[in-house]
Amino acid sequence: MTSATPFEAVIPAPTTDAALVPAPDAPVKASTLMTDTTLVTAADRTRLFQLAAVLLTYPDEVLLDAADELRGAAALIEHPWLRGQVEEFLAWLTGTAPIDVQRHYVRTFDLRRRSGLYLTYYLHGDTRRRGMALLVLKQRYRAHGLRLAPGELPDLLPVVLEFAATVGPGEGEAPLRQHRRGVELLRAALADHGTPYGLLVEAITAVLPELTEADREAVAQLALDGPPVDSVGLDSLGPAFGPGRSGGPGEFDGVGLAPYPTCSSSEAQR
């Protein structure tokens, strides 16, 4: 896994509180999971995406040593429910032995295809269509003057979140909206797994456009069947599952991943 900043070069992120969610082209219904129906400011969305982009990377020594800075950044989120989600996660992160946090991260994201952080995999599996989706993402980043760190794939959720925080509502959040189904599948998988990382993804989905009925049907079908596996075409874009996404000692290189398992029917229908 790369460092907490996925891009080698970024442009300043918008910081104004004047704009309110939803973005003009993507109406968002306030999540029923929130304790109130107050609209989330654009600044809070940016803070959430920036923090989640960092916290969903491998918890190396640098990340764990930044506990005070991370708590300070979380405190700046004005929406109480969103702030609570991040602070609850940070309480677990900082209150658990580092080696246990690192093992949990690897078990959650590196050893389980169903809760991998590569969004295009959920929809396309290891197929040629996924290769095209990755290329489109890379071109979108390049159009905004951003380039990936060496070896990083453009559909990695921390990268997508960093892009959203950097470019802002509209164009910046377009990849999140386009891969809304994949984010929902990840949320369901993490909820089923009972991991604290689910707090972060639940907060992310709460500020994304609400799933349509067609989305829910597609998510339920993908949860039952898994992504397509009939063809490949990703060699020119780099390996999706290794070597070394976690970056930790004894890192998993992606060989021998278990088949895509199904989730419970209740999670598939959420």
Side-chain angles (χ1 to χ4, degrees):
M1 176 65 75
T2 60
S3 64
T5 303
F7 293 112
E8 289 185 318
V10 299
I11 59 178
T15 57
T16 178
D17 284 318
L20 290 177
V21 173
D25 58 343
V28 182
K29 180 180 178 181
S31 172
T32 55
L33 295 173
M34 297 184 182
T35 57
D36 59 63
T37 57
T38 304
L39 289 176
V40 181
T41 64
D44 266 359
R45 289 168 76 91
T46 296
R47 292 170 186 137
L48 173 63
F49 292 156
Q50 286 176 329
L51 264 172
V54 172
L55 295 174
L56 287 169
T57 61
Y58 179 76
D60 58 14
E61 185 177 351
V62 174
L63 176 63
L64 296 175
D65 285 347
D68 289 342
E69 291 87 345
L70 292 168
R71 281 192 288 262
L76 295 176
I77 298 176
E78 296 179 353
H79 193 285
W81 184 84
L82 294 177
R83 184 175 64 250
Q85 291 287 104
V86 178
E87 289 179 339
E88 184 177 347
F89 173 81
L90 286 173
W92 170 80
L93 184 75
T94 59
T96 306
I99 187 63
D100 292 333
V101 172
Q102 291 167 347
R103 286 172 176 167
H104 180 81
Y105 183 95
V106 172
R107 285 198 302 267
T108 300
F109 296 120
D110 288 1
L111 301 183
R112 302 174 76 243
R113 281 187 186 267
R114 193 183 141 210
S115 57
L117 291 172
Y118 294 96
L119 297 183
T120 62
Y121 177 78
Y122 288 96
L123 300 184
H124 305 304
D126 289 328
T127 67
R128 295 186 183 279
R129 290 186 64 183
R130 185 183 178 202
M132 290 302 300
L134 292 173
L135 181 60
V136 168
L137 277 174
K138 291 181 74 172
Q139 291 173 337
R140 183 184 293 272
Y141 298 161
R142 190 178 298 116
H144 286 272
L146 308 176
R147 57 175 180 165
L148 294 168
E152 200 73 277
L153 285 182
D155 64 335
L156 185 69
L157 182 56
V159 175
V160 177
L161 289 169
E162 182 71 18
F163 180 73
T166 299
V167 178
E171 182 69 14
E173 295 180 17
L176 279 172
R177 295 194 301 271
Q178 290 166 355
H179 294 281
R180 180 66 178 87
R181 295 176 182 179
V183 178
E184 176 62 18
L185 282 163
L186 174 60
R187 184 211 61 77
L190 295 178
D192 192 49
H193 187 44
T195 169
Y197 282 98
L199 293 163
L200 300 175
V201 178
E202 187 176 45
I204 293 166
T205 58
V207 299
L208 292 179
E210 189 173 16
L211 292 168
T212 65
E213 188 60 34
D215 287 333
R216 294 184 184 281
E217 292 176 1
V219 166
Q221 195 62 48
L222 281 166
L224 293 173
D225 296 342
V229 294
D230 57 339
S231 62
V232 295
L234 304 176
D235 292 345
S236 63
L237 292 162
F241 291 97
R245 205 183 79 222
S246 68
E251 62 191 7
F252 182 68
D253 66 2
V255 177
L257 280 171
Y260 187 96
T262 61
C263 68
S264 64
S265 57
S266 61
E267 281 297 330
Q269 296 294 337
R270 284 188 62 178

